[in-house]
Amino acid sequence: MLERFAAAAEAGFQGAEILFPYDIAAHDLYRAALSAGLEIVLINAPPPNWAGGPRGFAAVPGLGDRFRRDFERSLRVAQALRARHIHVMAGRAEGPAALETYVANLAWACERAPHASMTIEPLNPGDVPGYFLQDHDLAVEVIRRVGAPNLGLQLDTYHAQAITGDMLACWRKVAPLVRHVQVGGHPGRHEPDSGTQDHRTFFRDLDASGYSGWVAAEYAPSRQTQRGLGWMQDTMAASTPR
């Protein structure tokens, strides 16, 4: 893991996400990223339960105490890593009680850490069945109800395509709330140039909109990672580097 920062920098990346940075000492991760010249951009909250338990429960009624306890741990790790964003995972839940729980927990987290940037991300039901946040309109509603300046939308082009069937239209609808972007081809979740979406137009749209956040490559490489990075050189040549 600690060798991946230098490899990412060599491949041309300027930042890195660590979805679950809880099994390695935070100071070791931060030192490795710093040595490679990379910013740590995003982590997920809460810490995962690899024994089969939920990997998020911000929207699960009755688990408020656990959410707050685990959020505190994620916040400490994010601060140690100087991570720009904390993605707060909703977990599996449904119904009005889950919505109220989600809004209340996010409002608490935003007030607890006003200096931290929080994101929420719709995940498609095919990959994550039962996940509470499966709709971008719902995400917009939640962000507006929470009404905190440090809460924004995380847009993943793979999930957006799977959920809406039109990633570009989805992006254009929610763009003012987007704080972090992830890209991946749909179907298959491989390189962005492997799917049905028009990522070239999407990158031009990002620039035209004034988006100043990170663009993260979140996909499963279809071949050796560096051999699949032609999309980055080809597509981003006409876009503002991030």
Side-chain angles (χ1 to χ4, degrees):
M1 175 64 187
L2 296 178
E3 297 173 358
R4 296 181 185 183
F5 297 100
E10 183 180 354
F13 292 97
Q14 299 174 1
E17 296 181 0
I18 312 177
L19 298 186
F20 297 106
Y22 301 100
D23 295 330
I24 299 175
H27 63 83
D28 289 339
L29 290 170
Y30 179 70
R31 187 162 53 240
L34 189 66
S35 177
L38 266 60
E39 177 180 336
I40 296 178
V41 178
L42 177 142
I43 70 169
N44 282 348
N49 184 331
W50 299 118
R55 297 189 185 178
F57 33 79
V60 182
L63 294 182
D65 289 343
R66 181 175 178 184
F67 169 79
R68 295 185 181 200
R69 183 174 62 250
D70 279 13
F71 179 81
E72 292 285 358
R73 182 184 176 197
S74 295
L75 182 60
R76 289 194 298 271
V77 171
Q79 290 171 332
L81 296 176
R82 279 72 160 177
R84 181 176 296 199
H85 303 300
I86 302 173
H87 169 215
V88 181
M89 302 189 73
R92 289 179 167 86
E94 61 181 352
L99 175 58
E100 297 307 315
T101 298
Y102 196 32
V103 170
N105 280 331
L106 287 169
W108 174 86
C110 289
E111 184 177 359
R112 166 66 184 85
H115 57 285
S117 171
M118 254 76 77
T119 65
I120 59 174
E121 176 192 8
L123 305 180
N124 81 80
D127 285 357
V128 192
Y131 195 73
F132 176 72
L133 191 60
Q134 299 180 348
D135 180 87
H136 293 80
D137 289 336
L138 177 59
V140 170
E141 177 188 348
V142 167
I143 291 169
R144 289 181 174 160
R145 282 191 58 183
V146 173
N150 56 331
L151 179 65
L153 182 64
Q154 183 171 318
L155 180 79
D156 184 306
T157 62
Y158 166 79
H159 285 295
Q161 184 71 20
I163 292 169
T164 70
D166 190 338
M167 172 269 290
L168 276 174
C170 178
W171 148 253
R172 290 166 178 167
K173 184 176 182 180
V174 301
L177 295 175
V178 173
R179 187 161 297 180
H180 184 64
V181 168
Q182 296 168 326
V183 295
H186 182 276
R189 196 162 198 169
H190 299 309
E191 290 79 2
D193 58 1
S194 69
T196 59
Q197 312 105 302
D198 182 359
H199 276 93
R200 183 179 293 272
T201 298
F202 175 67
F203 289 133
R204 287 199 297 265
D205 263 30
L206 285 181
D207 287 334
S209 73
Y211 175 76
S212 59
W214 286 90
V215 176
E218 184 170 285
Y219 59 82
S222 60
R223 50 195 181 279
Q224 195 272 341
T225 302
Q226 289 200 350
R227 290 181 58 197
L229 291 178
W231 67 269
M232 187 165 66
Q233 285 77 39
D234 295 342
T235 307
M236 298 300 283
S239 182
T240 303
R242 291 184 179 84

